[in-house]
Amino acid sequence: QVQLVESGGGLVQAGGSLRLSCAASGSIFSINAMGWYSQAPGKQRELVVSIASDETTNYADSVKGRLTISRDNAKNTVYLQMNSLNPEDTAVYYCYAVVVTAGSGLTHYWGQGTQVTVSS
């Protein structure tokens, strides 16, 4: 069993900043990739950013230059530094990890979600 625990969401004014964290724990052989999805009210879940084991990153165009992903492999933790937030960023943010488990399979795990609300 692998669990992802998220923290760092909250309510901020436009132009403000937040830092999200997501820590993976459990029966992990290695983590192939981690990242963040967002789901705004009435919309589908969308990829915000991913980071691979070789530290290659892939950002949605809407967040380039404002959001930065990083990972601490020793802690199996990924962070999302969110700057210059605007109301369009309001969503539930879900951490994910693609995990190589003891059985050598690739399994996609999700965090519980953390609410980010940006007021104008």
Side-chain angles (χ1 to χ4, degrees):
Q1 177 65 39
V2 174
Q3 289 186 311
L4 305 181
V5 179
E6 301 182 35
S7 62
L11 174 64
V12 297
Q13 292 185 324
S17 298
L18 289 171
R19 191 180 192 227
L20 309 184
S21 299
C22 176
S25 62
S27 300
I28 299 170
F29 178 76
S30 64
I31 298 179
N32 179 261
M34 300 186 77
W36 300 87
Y37 279 72
S38 66
Q39 187 165 26
K43 296 185 178 180
Q44 296 190 108
R45 192 172 298 187
E46 298 181 337
L47 179 67
V48 177
V49 61
S50 64
I51 183 166
S53 58
D54 65 357
E55 299 189 10
T56 299
T57 56
N58 182 29
Y59 290 90
D61 288 341
S62 62
V63 305
K64 288 180 179 178
R66 301 189 300 114
L67 275 58
T68 304
I69 192 171
S70 61
R71 64 188 292 178
D72 184 337
N73 292 329
K75 297 180 179 180
N76 288 329
T77 299
V78 65
Y79 305 93
L80 185 64
Q81 180 65 48
M82 311 174 76
N83 297 328
S84 301
L85 289 166
N86 59 65
E88 287 68 44
D89 296 315
T90 295
V92 178
Y93 285 75
Y94 295 91
C95 173
Y96 77 90
V98 181
V99 177
V100 180
T101 60
S104 299
L106 290 175
T107 304
H108 194 184
Y109 291 91
W110 293 95
Q112 80 278 11
T114 185
Q115 177 71 48
V116 171
T117 303
V118 184
S119 64
S120 58

